[in-house]
Amino acid sequence: MTPTTPEQALAELYAGNRRFVTGAPRHPNQDAGHRAAVADGQHPFAVIVGCSDSRLAAEIIFDRGLGDLFVVRTAGHTVGPEVLGSVEYAVTVLGTPLVVVLGHDSCGAVQAARESVRTGTSPAGHLGALVDAVAPSLLRAAREGVEDVDGIVDIHIAQTVEALLARSAVVAERVSAGRCGVVGMSYRLSAGEVRTVAEVPARTPATALPVEATDQAPAALAG
């Protein structure tokens, strides 16, 4: 059965991750029969806005298959217009009930942004845009006295959750109506486990915030 509520979708992701961690994956929906079944349409139960890190393959760590997850990946899970449009497509057109922001420990994008801020330099090319996207999380970490990289990563995950809701009235309205949930997760590279860092349950009303407010952490989303 495909999950139809945010709670069911989240439970399914955690169940799949547990199978992955314990070395007992089922590899569901990866056979030829299912490939044919989903050829004419898709009904993913979760959107994964994940980091592009090669060790963070969503279908593997959540033990899922074809048609289960709608995956959007950028370095540092940064959220730009294309990412927002992809998420909005999933939750409106495909009816996906859960959005997950998936980060991980020792994130290279966060470390690069931190070094750039520390030295006062900006990377060449489009890497500068990546640093700019992560910078608000670094500022928030500094205000909160968080200095270790993994603590900053957790803040950046929560920041991305907030930015997504702030910049997408479509997603915020779905959350407010109880039709979608947004969760921030952090993945441990060595252990393979995910844990929840930030959460906006479907039962919690959410309204769109101005973009300028995204570097401030609502208490309900604090990781």
Side-chain angles (χ1 to χ4, degrees):
M1 295 291 291
T2 301
T4 59
T5 70
E7 295 81 8
Q8 291 171 353
L10 185 59
E12 191 64 32
L13 289 179
Y14 267 106
N17 180 246
R18 176 50 50 189
R19 295 194 300 270
F20 169 68
V21 170
T22 58
R26 297 176 186 168
H27 304 295
N29 300 334
Q30 296 183 23
D31 57 282
H34 189 73
R35 182 184 68 219
V38 298
D40 292 332
Q42 59 172 323
H43 302 282
F45 67 83
V47 184
I48 309 295
V49 180
C51 180
S52 296
D53 191 288
S54 61
R55 300 161 291 181
L56 201 66
E59 286 87 353
I60 294 176
I61 70 173
F62 291 118
D63 190 30
R64 298 309 312 180
L66 299 173
D68 292 332
L69 306 177
F70 192 90
V71 182
V72 186
R73 299 176 69 179
T74 62
H77 50 80
T78 54
V79 178
E82 295 84 359
V83 172
L84 292 173
S86 298
V87 173
E88 290 178 355
Y89 173 81
V91 300
T92 57
V93 178
L94 303 179
T96 308
L98 181 68
V99 179
V100 174
V101 174
L102 181 63
H104 63 93
D105 57 354
S106 304
C107 180
V110 171
Q111 294 184 69
R114 189 184 191 190
E115 180 65 14
S116 178
V117 170
R118 186 187 70 80
T119 60
T121 60
S122 181
H126 294 290
L127 285 175
L130 175 62
V131 168
D132 291 343
V134 178
S137 299
L138 299 176
L139 294 174
R140 174 171 160 182
R143 290 197 303 269
E144 298 180 9
V146 177
E147 298 182 354
D148 68 289
V149 172
D150 291 343
I152 296 173
V153 168
D154 284 358
I155 288 175
H156 182 50
I157 293 169
Q159 186 87 0
T160 306
V161 168
E162 295 159 24
L164 197 156
L165 288 166
R167 297 172 187 173
S168 175
V170 171
V171 175
E173 288 166 3
R174 291 266 167 162
V175 171
S176 183
R179 301 172 67 182
C180 183
V182 183
V183 174
M185 289 184 180
S186 182
Y187 174 77
R188 294 179 60 195
L189 294 172
S190 60
E193 296 177 336
V194 295
R195 59 184 174 84
T196 296
V197 173
E199 184 173 10
V200 183
R203 62 181 179 275
T204 302
T207 55
L209 304 174
V211 172
E212 292 78 10
T214 58
D215 65 342
Q216 299 179 1
L221 291 179

